[in-house]
Amino acid sequence: MKRYAKWYALALSVVIVIPLLSACNANNASNATQNAASGQASPAAADEKPAKKTYKWFVGRDVNGAPAVTVKEIAEEYSKTHPEFQLVIEGTGDRPSYLQKLRTLIASNEMPDMFDTDSDAYAAQLVERGKLVDTKQLLQDLGKSNDFRPIALQYQQFADGSMYTLPLEFGIEVFWYNMKMFKDLGITPPTTFDEFMKIADTLKTHNITPIAVDGKDKWPVLRYLALKPFRMTGNDFIENVKQGKASFTDPAGMEAINFVHDLGSKGYFQQGFASTDYTAARDLFLAGKTAIYYMGSWETMSFANDKISPEMKDNIGYFLMPTLDGAKTAPNDYFINSGIGLAFNKDTFDDNMKGFVKYLLDKYPEAYTKKGQFSPFKYSLAKMDGMPDIFYKIQDEIAKSGTVFAVPWDTRLDPATNEMLGNELNALGMGAMDPKDFAHEMDEAIKENAPKYFK
């Protein structure tokens, strides 16, 4: 689900073609791919031009975002010494549109060479059909496994520990808040869910909309549903309920459902939250129209750029997921993720592509982090690199994070139930649905759909 971010604001289809330097020569294809696999420059001479092969990356994230731009830049650099390699990047609109098009392509035997996917039930089906490259084995082959943050790789894994995607991102999720609003009302960041609700009520009482949330894309509201169960059970509740081994009427389920119902029905979310998209929700917070905004650290640089007022820029703080009595997870355990993963088509993955992947993994950490992002690799920036203070605060927070991370529910549930959950969750938040009815519908959906995906 990651969830990410700016691509939600994209217009329709975008295609980026990386220019190449050379033409084809099929007779030299073998030598070219061998050189590519080694990550070394091709010795192509004027009379020995390598065959050019074009690969497509179908992108489920913002094609103008840091991950895609960084890969594009590195691919352009690689093509200068490996003219046999060309990468075409194609993106589409919002996440639902992307997923629909991806599944249509795959069903039509047109699986892209590279594409973005979560390690969800649909990806598991592709694995069962032998369609994806084993990226855990790939990293071992390339000697890169230990270069990544452990959680960055764990996030990409299926429940059995297998892995078929690579991370390009890394982030923690926090509650960003307006420090001036809090200070003016004499309130401090909450550490418990009870305090969280009291703060929301205080803000509402003083005619301040407590929380900005993107309801249109659904996953941000889904995060609120997942918070209390994670504190109460770790990831046990979602791992059990997805297969009908637990019920939404269980204590963890009802705590989650009532939490979202209360946030929405009491007006703690902004008015019209169900139709508010990602950018609009963020802008409400940055414009000082709400006090709290839950989002990942991938937005850190949005809070430090010159597009927001100096007053706002100096008053953005953050606090971590609240906790509760008897919590099973530690305060420094929360949502940590490495975003939607990068998968490779096993049928078209050759030495040419393998050579590029090796080069990409060598160059990516520094290039990506210097764009103000937090890398899935063990790579950080020093003070002398001149990033904003808020960047270093988050970088330090990441270093202090725990070893248990909450898994997004939309990567665990079967697709049909996940779609239904997203649709009904906003109704629950708007107070248009009774919590017990919501729990019953979700249990029934899982009973009908889960057996088709979890065997």
Side-chain angles (χ1 to χ4, degrees), residues 40-79:
Q40 302 300 313
S42 169
D47 60 346
E48 194 178 335
K49 295 178 181 178
K52 176 176 68 177
K53 185 172 181 180
T54 300
Y55 301 85
K56 184 171 85 171
W57 177 19
F58 189 42
V59 180
R61 61 191 100 204
D62 182 0
V63 295
N64 295 311
V69 169
T70 303
V71 173
K72 172 180 175 291
E73 291 172 348
I74 293 173
E76 288 176 338
E77 183 180 294
Y78 186 73
S79 293

Side-chain angles (χ1 to χ4, degrees), residues 241-244 414 417 441-452:
V241 80
K242 73 178 185 182
Q243 299 186 66
D414 67 83
T417 300
E441 285 201 17
M442 290 306 105
D443 281 345
E444 288 300 308
I446 288 172
K447 182 178 180 181
E448 178 180 353
N449 300 315
K452 303 172 187 175

Side-chain angles (χ1 to χ4, degrees), residues 329-381:
T329 54
N332 63 342
D333 295 330
Y334 37 74
F335 275 96
I336 306 173
N337 69 70
S338 53
I340 192 169
L342 174 62
F344 299 91
N345 183 338
K346 190 173 182 179
D347 291 338
T348 63
F349 192 87
D350 54 15
D351 285 346
N352 200 8
M353 173 62 83
K354 189 173 183 179
F356 168 66
V357 173
K358 182 179 185 302
Y359 187 83
L360 174 67
L361 299 183
D362 285 341
K363 300 292 184 180
Y364 191 85
E366 180 177 2
Y368 180 67
T369 309
K370 287 190 172 178
K371 288 181 169 60
Q373 302 297 317
F374 302 100
S375 172
F377 294 81
K378 298 171 184 173
Y379 187 92
S380 59
L381 295 180

